[in-house]
Amino acid sequence: MPARRLGRPAVTFAAVIFDWRGTLVTTLSERQWVRAALCDRGRAAGPGDVDRLVTAIRAASGVENRLEGPGVDSDADYHQRTYLEVFHDAGCDDDLARALYEVESDPRHNPFATDALGTVLELRRRGVRVAVLSDIHFDVRPAFTAAGFENAVDVFTLSFEQGIQKPDSRMFTRTVGALGVEPADALMVGDRSGPDGAAVEAGITTLLLPPLTDLEDRRLHRVLALCATPEHREQ
């Protein structure tokens, strides 16, 4: 008698929550960030110039990394003060410090992965609600509109608007509440185990992908596979 083949049970979700940087969009490396700021101000931006400034910023930020300290992303004013203080401690003049902060705060430096828009639109076509949950100090909604998402995202949970940030469980519970779904019916998609992985503590199934490093890194088909409707599972 032939052995019975056990099919893999399908998993479906009523909503998907996406992290932004590193998941849907690329993030500048430290060297890319510094070089962009130097070039913006017409400063010398050779490899040595970039490396010296990166080293100075790291030293000023300290081993505790003040740029990613607790609560930095939960208040826009506090975020700006912290960053400018670190830049000044690194020896930057006011103009260069402003340039560094402008690059950090400009979503044009965070282009969307080539499969991001198609994935979100397909999720919506399947009746899956979509949220974006990000530790960020500025409004990313215009970036989504400019990229063609328009009304494809149902909910934006942004740390600077919430006054809290990941891994605080309220970031996740507020998001599923706004989506109108139970935690068990939502999927969190992120790229960092600490902030994004904390969604499991709120009862949300979590998919952690390697951080997006190239616009052509196609990884989001894994999300669609977990949100397959019966007709898609049969294909």
Side-chain angles (χ1 to χ4, degrees):
M1 182 176 179
R4 184 181 177 185
R5 300 180 67 182
L6 298 178
R8 211 181 305 177
V11 180
T12 59
F13 295 94
V16 175
I17 306 167
F18 289 100
D19 171 51
W20 185 55
R21 280 179 170 166
T23 301
L24 292 177
V25 302
T26 58
T27 302
L28 293 178
S29 67
E30 286 180 303
R31 298 189 80 261
Q32 291 171 328
W33 165 44
V34 165
R35 186 176 187 281
L38 290 169
C39 289
D40 184 73
R41 292 303 197 265
R43 308 282 184 103
D49 304 297
V50 171
D51 288 342
R52 280 190 291 274
L53 185 49
V54 167
T55 299
I57 291 172
R58 287 177 180 172
S61 186
V63 293
E64 73 279 9
N65 196 354
R66 290 155 59 193
L67 297 182
E68 294 187 9
V72 169
D73 283 316
S74 63
D75 181 276
D77 291 336
Y78 178 49
H79 186 280
Q80 184 179 58
R81 288 197 308 271
T82 301
Y83 270 63
L84 292 180
E85 285 174 2
V86 169
F87 299 153
H88 287 136
D89 289 348
C92 298
D93 56 54
D94 289 343
D95 185 55
L96 182 54
R98 289 287 174 184
L100 287 163
Y101 195 74
E102 288 167 8
V103 172
E104 160 64 17
S105 307
D106 188 344
R108 290 178 296 180
H109 292 289
N110 303 116
F112 284 90
T114 53
D115 60 349
L117 177 59
T119 298
V120 170
L121 293 180
E122 176 61 19
L123 287 171
R124 292 302 305 271
R125 193 185 71 80
R126 296 182 186 184
V128 179
R129 293 177 64 77
V130 175
V132 170
L133 189 162
S134 178
D135 285 348
I136 195 67
H137 58 289
F138 60 87
D139 189 0
V140 300
R141 295 176 184 87
F144 279 81
T145 300
F149 287 81
E150 296 184 5
N151 299 318
V153 178
D154 298 288
V155 171
F156 285 90
T157 305
L158 309 180
S159 59
F160 82 101
E161 294 179 339
Q162 298 295 321
I164 53 175
Q165 65 186 70
K166 295 178 286 186
D168 192 315
S169 64
R170 291 174 294 175
M171 288 287 283
F172 306 104
T173 57
R174 289 178 184 180
T175 303
V176 293
L179 286 167
V181 302
E182 294 298 321
D185 296 322
L187 173 69
M188 175 69 201
V189 182
D191 68 304
R192 295 188 296 168
S193 59
D196 302 318
V200 298
E201 303 299 332
I204 301 171
T205 300
T206 302
L207 172 64
L208 293 177
L209 300 170
L212 181 68
T213 58
D214 189 281
L215 297 181
E216 297 297 330
D217 286 344
R218 293 183 171 272
R219 309 120 72 243
L220 299 179
H221 60 279
R222 293 176 173 84
V223 178
L224 294 177
L226 293 175
C227 299
T229 57
E231 60 268 26
H232 290 101
R233 292 198 299 271
E234 291 170 359
Q235 294 176 0

